[in-house]
Amino acid sequence: MAQTFADWLTEANGLPENRFLDEMQRLLPWSHIQTMLETEVPNPGGGRPPTEFLLLFKMTLIQWWYGLGDLDTEFRCADSFSFRRFLGLGVTDTVPDGTTLALFRQKMHSVGLQEKLNTLVCHLLGQKNLLVKQGTIVDATFVKAAKPKHDPDSKTGKKGRGYSVSVAMDNRTKIVRNIKVTDASVHDSQSLQAVLPEFVGSKVWVDLGYYGLSCLNTILATGAIRRMGYKKAKGKPLQPWQKGLNRLLARTRARVEHIFAGWKTRFKLNNSRYETVDKVSSYMNGVALAGNLAR
């Protein structure tokens, strides 16, 4: 990007910083990300793509971080100086349109790039000893279907028609390591084996939805022990010490609720935005990636 007089003028006026985006620009492993984008994202025409994949990926991050649609992302990136600075665009540079952004996201989805990038980020964090790996928290949250009547993959569960999003989160750092998306009719416990990472740490915290011998054996097979509250027997109250232990376990397990709350407030994830399990899974892995990078 060649600096124009307009760029110099905006810098000279000392425009307010966006500390979050400036930190992301400084800290994220852009060279690794760019290499993966150039290697994985299909480019049917060959040669240099008409729009830089890294630029489109940064726009996609902005879309995830701020809960924007395609057209809103295009407008905000064109209108905001801090967004332009993060994208590496000058005042007079053209911002890719919403259609180009949507096509790029479809290309990422076609090769499962969101999942691969999230795996890369977790690997890099592990190399820097930023993944403590002392334990894993597993839980699930409900996401409404964007168009219930037109989405053949969404099913009705206890909380409505939509999807169940199961996650495995690092206990200490709150880094989401794995995600499994199913329709809402599938019980959370059925996603346990698929969502547990290769290394879970010494403990796995779950709620009573993962009660039963099958879930216990799945966790024990990883070499970890299950941390789950006591379940009240029919007609018999819990003992005071059991209630106390349940409260202690709930304090740890509740950490994953902070992740879900952030997704549904900051990322405006009140519904799935997209249809079919594959597309919702791709989007949720993108949201997890954006959240991990921010964290």
Side-chain angles (χ1 to χ4, degrees), residues 1-288:
M1 178 190 74
Q3 188 177 50
T4 65
F5 175 74
D7 295 322
W8 174 85
L9 189 61
T10 55
E11 291 178 5
N13 286 335
L15 291 172
E17 296 181 352
N18 185 319
R19 293 184 179 179
F20 170 71
L21 289 181
D22 290 344
E23 282 294 293
M24 293 299 97
Q25 181 65 27
R26 184 175 67 86
L27 294 174
L28 298 189
W30 295 117
S31 59
H32 290 85
I33 292 173
Q34 184 167 10
T35 299
M36 182 169 280
L37 289 170
E38 292 173 351
T39 304
E40 298 284 347
V41 178
N43 182 24
R48 192 179 184 88
T51 304
E52 292 287 347
F53 287 154
L54 186 59
L55 169 60
L56 290 170
F57 178 69
K58 286 185 173 183
M59 287 184 68
T60 305
L61 285 178
I62 287 175
Q63 182 176 36
W64 289 331
W65 281 331
Y66 293 90
L68 303 172
D70 295 330
L71 295 179
D72 288 335
T73 303
E74 176 190 350
F75 173 77
R76 292 283 298 277
C77 288
D79 185 63
S80 169
F81 285 111
S82 63
F83 283 8
R84 281 182 172 273
R85 184 167 57 236
F86 175 71
L87 296 173
L89 297 177
V91 176
T92 57
D93 291 328
T94 302
V95 174
D97 59 36
T99 301
T100 302
L101 181 63
L103 290 173
F104 173 72
R105 194 176 56 250
Q106 290 174 14
K107 289 180 179 179
M108 288 202 301
H109 165 69
S110 69
V111 294
L113 191 60
Q114 291 93 323
E115 297 92 324
K116 294 176 182 177
L117 282 169
N118 202 32
T119 300
L120 170 66
V121 168
C122 289
H123 176 68
L124 293 173
L125 290 173
Q127 287 184 329
K128 296 178 181 293
N129 295 320
L130 295 177
L131 278 179
V132 182
K133 296 183 179 179
Q134 289 184 352
T136 300
I137 304 174
V138 176
D139 204 353
T141 188
F142 170 75
V143 177
K144 295 179 182 178
K147 298 178 180 179
K149 294 182 179 179
H150 304 284
D151 187 349
D153 285 1
S154 67
K155 297 291 189 298
T156 301
K158 290 182 178 180
K159 297 182 179 180
R161 188 178 179 91
Y163 296 92
S164 176
V165 182
S166 297
V167 304
M169 185 195 81
D170 188 65
N171 172 35
R172 293 289 297 277
T173 61
K174 296 184 182 179
I175 295 295
V176 174
R177 301 178 65 192
N178 281 339
I179 282 184
K180 174 69 175 178
V181 175
T182 64
D183 66 74
S185 68
V186 177
H187 195 270
D188 299 345
S189 61
Q190 293 181 249
S191 299
L192 178 61
Q193 187 168 11
V195 82
L196 281 176
E198 292 182 3
F199 184 83
V200 299
S202 59
K203 302 172 185 175
V204 175
W205 284 267
V206 292
D207 63 19
L208 291 174
Y210 299 87
Y211 184 84
L213 189 59
S214 175
C215 290
L216 176 60
N217 289 335
T218 298
I219 293 172
L220 292 177
T222 67
I225 58 175
R226 182 173 66 176
R227 284 287 181 256
M228 184 182 69
Y230 283 92
K231 187 175 184 180
K232 185 174 68 171
K234 188 174 182 180
K236 294 183 179 180
L238 292 176
Q239 298 295 318
W241 66 270
Q242 292 175 319
K243 292 180 180 179
L245 185 58
N246 281 0
R247 285 193 292 270
L248 288 175
L249 293 173
R251 288 180 186 177
T252 298
R253 194 176 50 76
R255 292 172 63 81
V256 73
E257 298 296 341
H258 304 163
I259 299 298
F260 295 151
W263 288 357
K264 294 187 177 183
T265 53
R266 180 172 185 173
F267 296 163
K268 301 178 182 178
L269 193 66
N270 293 319
N271 58 54
S272 61
R273 291 179 178 261
Y274 303 101
E275 300 174 12
T276 75
V277 168
D278 284 346
K279 290 184 178 180
V280 174
S281 179
S282 179
Y283 180 72
M284 291 307 308
N285 273 277
V287 168

